[in-house]
C-alpha cells in the first residue's frame, strides 16, 4: 500500500492576508507551533504565497527590518504551486526537491487548500514506516 501525502499532511492550513504584518504572522506561527503560513494572494484565482521561518530569518532578522512595520507580501515567496493529497510521499519529495521547497501546501481538485506537508513531516513518515521502496511509493 502506498503512503500518501493525505496520511502525513497537517491540517488546517494557516492562511493570512498579504497585508498582515510579519509580527502577526510570527505570533501565529509560534502559537500554533508551525514553520510557515500561506498567503492568500488572489481568492478568485486560488493563488497563494508562503512565508516561512527561513524568510523571517533572512528577510527580517538578517536585513534588520522591523517585523511590525513589514507586510507579509514584502517577504513572501509566490505565487507558489500546490501539491495533491493523492500523491505518494516519493512524488511529493521529488517535487519539493526539484522546486527547493521545505513546505508544500496541499489543495483539492478545486484548488482549495486542505493541508500542508513539510520536509519534517516526510522525515517523520520515513522514520515511522521505515524506508522500504515498496512501502513509501
Amino acid at each position: 500500500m502506498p503512503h500518501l501525502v493525505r496520511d502525513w499532511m497537517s491540517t488546517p492550513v494557516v492562511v493570512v492576508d498579504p497585508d498582515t504584518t510579519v509580527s502577526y504572522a510570527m505570533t501565529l506561527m509560534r502559537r500554533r507551533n508551525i514553520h510557515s503560513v500561506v498567503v492568500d494572494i488572489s481568492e478568485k484565482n486560488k493563488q497563494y504565497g508562503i512565508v516561512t521561518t527561513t524568510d523571517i530569518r533572512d528577510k527580517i532578522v538578517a536585513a534588520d527590518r522591523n517585523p511590525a512595520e513589514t507586510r507579509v507580501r514584502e517577504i513572501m515567496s509566490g505565487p507558489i504551486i500546490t501539491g495533491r493529497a493523492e500523491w505518494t510521499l516519493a512524488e511529493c519529495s521529488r517535487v519539493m526537491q526539484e522546486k527547493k521547497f521545505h513546505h508544500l501546501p496541499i489543495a483539492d481538485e478545486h484548488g482549495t487548500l486542505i493541508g500542508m506537508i513539510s520536509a519534517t513531516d516526510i522525515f517523520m513518515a520515513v522514520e515511522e514506516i521505515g524506508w522500504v521502496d515498496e512501502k513509501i511509493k
Side-chain angles (χ1 to χ4, degrees):
M1 174 180 165
H3 292 276
L4 304 177
V5 168
R6 82 169 76 261
D7 301 324
W8 297 94
M9 67 185 188
S10 301
T11 59
V13 180
V14 178
V15 180
V16 298
D17 182 87
D19 290 319
T20 300
T21 64
V22 173
S23 280
Y24 183 75
M26 290 169 56
T27 299
L28 281 175
M29 292 163 71
R30 180 180 49 80
R31 287 185 179 170
R32 296 186 182 207
N33 196 29
I34 57 176
H35 296 258
S36 63
V37 292
V38 173
V39 183
D40 189 351
I41 299 172
S42 173
E43 193 173 302
K44 61 183 173 183
N45 295 334
K46 306 269 188 202
Q47 288 190 330
Y48 306 104
I50 193 165
V51 172
T52 68
T53 53
T54 302
D55 293 320
I56 292 167
R57 181 197 68 202
D58 296 348
K59 299 172 184 175
I60 297 294
V61 178
D64 200 25
R65 294 174 74 177
N66 183 342
E69 295 174 358
T70 306
R71 305 291 174 201
V72 294
R73 74 168 62 248
E74 297 173 51
I75 68 164
M76 71 179 193
S77 299
I80 58 170
I81 66 165
T82 56
R84 299 298 300 263
E86 300 81 26
W87 287 358
T88 65
L89 291 178
E91 290 171 309
C92 183
S93 295
R94 283 191 287 275
V95 169
M96 291 172 71
Q97 179 184 22
E98 176 184 304
K99 302 290 185 184
K100 298 181 173 40
F101 293 161
H102 291 241
H103 302 86
L104 184 64
I106 305 301
D108 66 14
E109 62 276 1
H110 305 291
T112 302
L113 295 178
I114 58 171
M116 174 74 76
I117 193 157
S118 70
T120 303
D121 296 325
I122 294 171
F123 170 85
M124 290 188 320
V126 172
E127 190 272 333
E128 187 172 316
I129 62 179
W131 186 255
V132 176
D133 287 337
E134 294 79 40
K135 287 185 177 181
I136 199 85
K137 287 184 181 176

